[in-house]
């Protein structure tokens, strides 16, 4: 089941994840741009991990994947947009 969320400029989503064991995990974000160029930032526990640029060439469907090392316990993931974007 998939949920789509529309984020306006400078909005963000926070996700709390509970990690069972120290390991590397793949974080995937599926996005569709409704503007020309958008930027998405990924932060984990308020530490910057990456930024992805969604341009006119890939604006209809873009999947961003990033391997992130998590320690056991709860963590906060934040997905922040710079332009209007559909996440889902």
């Amino acid at each position: 089941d998939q949920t789509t969320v529309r984020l306006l400029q400078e909005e963000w989503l926070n996700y709390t994840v509970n990690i069972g064991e120290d390991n590397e995990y793949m974080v995937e974000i599926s996005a569709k741009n409704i503007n020309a160029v958008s930027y998405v930032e990924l932060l984990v526990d308020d530490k910057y991990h990456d930024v992805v640029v969604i341009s006119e060439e890939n604006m209809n469907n873009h999947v961003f994947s990033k391997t992130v090392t998590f320690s056991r316990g709860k963590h906060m993931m934040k997905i922040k947009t710079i332009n209007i974007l559909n996440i889902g």
Side-chain angles (χ1 to χ4, degrees):
D1 198 25
Q2 186 175 354
T3 302
T4 300
V5 178
R6 184 175 185 171
L7 296 177
L8 300 178
Q9 187 169 343
E10 295 293 324
E11 285 190 317
W12 65 88
L13 292 174
N14 284 332
Y15 292 95
T16 301
V17 293
N18 192 8
I19 304 298
E21 63 181 72
D22 297 0
N23 208 339
E24 290 184 340
Y25 294 88
M26 181 67 66
V27 176
E28 289 187 347
I29 302 168
S30 176
K32 180 184 269 190
N33 186 356
I34 60 171
N35 264 345
V37 176
S38 288
Y39 303 89
V40 178
E41 293 178 337
L42 173 64
L43 296 97
V44 176
D45 298 329
D46 288 324
K47 292 174 75 176
Y48 172 81
H49 273 273
D50 216 338
V51 64
V52 62
V53 177
I54 302 172
S55 63
E56 292 179 21
E57 293 80 38
N58 62 1
M59 66 188 287
N60 288 328
N61 226 351
H62 183 81
V63 177
F64 162 69
S65 299
K66 176 72 177 180
T67 301
V68 178
T69 302
F70 285 99
S71 59
R72 185 175 189 264
K74 287 188 179 180
H75 297 273
M76 178 67 68
M77 288 193 332
K78 180 185 280 187
I79 301 167
K80 183 179 176 185
T81 64
I82 306 302
N83 294 34
I84 299 172
L85 194 68
N86 289 327
I87 303 281

